[in-house]
Amino acid sequence: MSVHLHSLVVDVSSRKLRYFVAVAEELHFSRAANRLYVTQQALSKQIRELEGDIGVRLLRRTTRSVELTPAGEALLTAARQSLAALDVGVEAARAADRGESGTVKLGFVIGAALELTSLIVAEFGRRHPGIRLDMREYGFADPSAGLADGSSDVALVRLPISAPDIESEPLFVEPLVAALPSGHRWAGRTSIPVAEMAGEPLVVGRTEDAAWRGQWTLDAHRGGDAARVVTLTSSHTEEMEVVAAGRACAVTVAGAARYTPHAGVRYVPLDGACGSTLAVAWRRGHLAAAVEWFLQVTREVGAAETAVVSSIERPFPSTHNQPL
């Protein structure tokens, strides 16, 4: 026995289904017509055509009432599900056309944008729920946080960086501090002149970016003299372990006292040192719509959260030199 497949397939328009759902929920043609902004006659015609398309009676109509038949009850559930799925698909298509879908790869160096990070990420998610933010931390080997090799679309970085074709906008400037072994002769000071610190043995990040490395060896403050670099490390936590072991000192940002406290390390402000600029950066010529939206959110959050930025730029209370 053969089966004609076309007899099993019914092509029902979404408009007819929406009209049917409205009548089924209102159980009143006049109210449903008002809800749909159509005439009652047009609505009745669509329902009759739908019943003809399907080949079953969906509603029992009298002069006083409208009721769903068992077939109508069954169709109502399926119609709601189908229309909901269609609406989701249509919105997804529109979002994709606007660039409001997909993934933005956000690279960042240790600490990212400090207390601003969660505010930026939350606001971006609120404004662009269809875009997934894929976050990845990069170590000292790549100060561009993935921009140099294209593994990031946008990044939170510490300037300066030497990688070509990267553009950036500063968010804030954070003071530099000396990370000292707890038994260091300066551990009890309230501050250290940068000229004194320039002569100390240092541990710095292992990287080929000379400009970035020069920030952490205080090259701008040593009059051309070479830094006394004792060892190189791959991460900030490794760097602090070297300091805690008493092998060297390090130059880092003030936020380290909050984010990476260590019993064997004292963080002391550096007087006269150029601060560390935290910036949002992107690859020149690769400014996709979603990246522009992320930049806009970052700018606006930074401008709005002046109290947070102020605390970052002046992070130490009077008890900063106490053991952590």
Side-chain angles (χ1 to χ4, degrees):
M1 181 179 69
S2 63
V3 176
H4 297 290
L5 292 179
H6 70 273
S7 66
L8 303 177
V9 178
V10 177
D11 186 10
V12 177
S13 74
S14 62
R15 174 180 293 180
K16 291 177 182 177
L17 287 179
R18 292 188 193 279
Y19 283 13
F20 166 70
V21 169
V23 174
E25 291 178 347
E26 298 291 344
L27 292 178
H28 194 284
F29 271 81
S30 180
R31 288 198 299 267
N34 290 336
R35 169 174 156 182
L36 295 166
Y37 300 102
V38 298
T39 65
Q40 187 171 333
Q41 292 79 4
L43 177 58
S44 296
K45 182 174 181 292
Q46 292 292 313
I47 296 300
R48 286 196 301 270
E49 289 182 2
L50 177 61
E51 291 178 323
D53 292 338
I54 299 174
V56 298
R57 188 177 181 186
L58 302 172
L59 300 166
R60 295 191 188 96
R61 286 158 281 191
T62 70
T63 56
R64 293 177 177 270
S65 67
V66 177
E67 296 179 351
L68 286 169
T69 65
E73 293 278 5
L75 181 62
L76 178 59
T77 299
R80 283 170 169 162
Q81 294 173 345
S82 297
L83 291 172
L86 178 61
D87 290 343
V88 169
V90 169
E91 181 53 36
R94 289 173 174 169
D97 185 62
R98 296 190 301 265
E100 294 184 357
S101 63
T103 300
V104 171
K105 294 175 288 185
L106 172 63
F108 58 95
V109 294
I110 183 168
L114 303 180
E115 285 82 355
L116 286 181
T117 308
S118 60
L119 301 175
I120 292 169
V121 170
E123 181 61 16
F124 183 78
R126 187 188 69 78
R127 294 191 193 182
H128 306 285
I131 300 176
R132 178 171 174 265
L133 201 60
D134 186 7
M135 300 177 65
R136 177 183 169 187
E137 182 182 272
Y138 288 78
F140 291 156
D142 185 7
S144 78
L147 294 177
D149 64 8
S151 58
S152 295
D153 300 314
V154 64
L156 297 168
V157 300
R158 294 280 176 175
L159 302 180
I161 51 179
S162 300
D165 300 321
I166 292 177
E167 298 185 66
S168 64
E169 291 183 15
L171 292 180
F172 56 82
V173 177
E174 190 176 9
L176 296 185
V177 299
L180 309 173
S182 57
H184 193 279
R185 65 188 185 281
W186 295 339
R189 285 192 182 184
T190 57
S191 64
I192 301 169
V194 67
E196 291 187 40
M197 187 65 189
E200 289 296 291
L202 298 175
V203 52
V204 295
R206 184 182 290 106
T207 180
E208 296 181 1
D209 191 320
W212 186 86
R213 178 175 167 176
Q215 167 77 2
W216 309 108
T217 53
L218 301 174
D219 284 5
H221 304 283
R222 61 178 63 258
D225 294 337
R228 294 173 58 196
V229 177
V230 174
T231 187
L232 304 175
T233 60
S234 300
S235 69
H236 175 73
T237 52
E238 180 183 346
E239 187 176 61
M240 291 305 101
E241 289 301 330
V242 171
V243 172
R247 295 186 57 199
C249 303
V251 175
T252 187
V253 292
R258 303 191 303 279
Y259 282 79
T260 54
H262 194 299
V265 177
R266 298 293 182 271
Y267 297 99
V268 181
L270 285 173
D271 283 344
C274 300
S276 171
T277 300
L278 189 287
V280 58
W282 62 94
R283 292 181 292 152
R284 185 177 294 116
H286 293 81
L287 197 57
V291 174
E292 289 192 83
W293 294 331
F294 183 84
L295 295 178
Q296 185 62 29
V297 168
T298 301
R299 295 183 192 109
E300 292 180 11
V301 169
E305 300 296 334
T306 53
V308 174
V309 172
S310 177
S311 69
I312 290 171
E313 294 179 338
R314 292 185 296 275
F316 272 119
S318 59
T319 56
H320 67 82
N321 60 328
Q322 297 301 309
L324 299 173

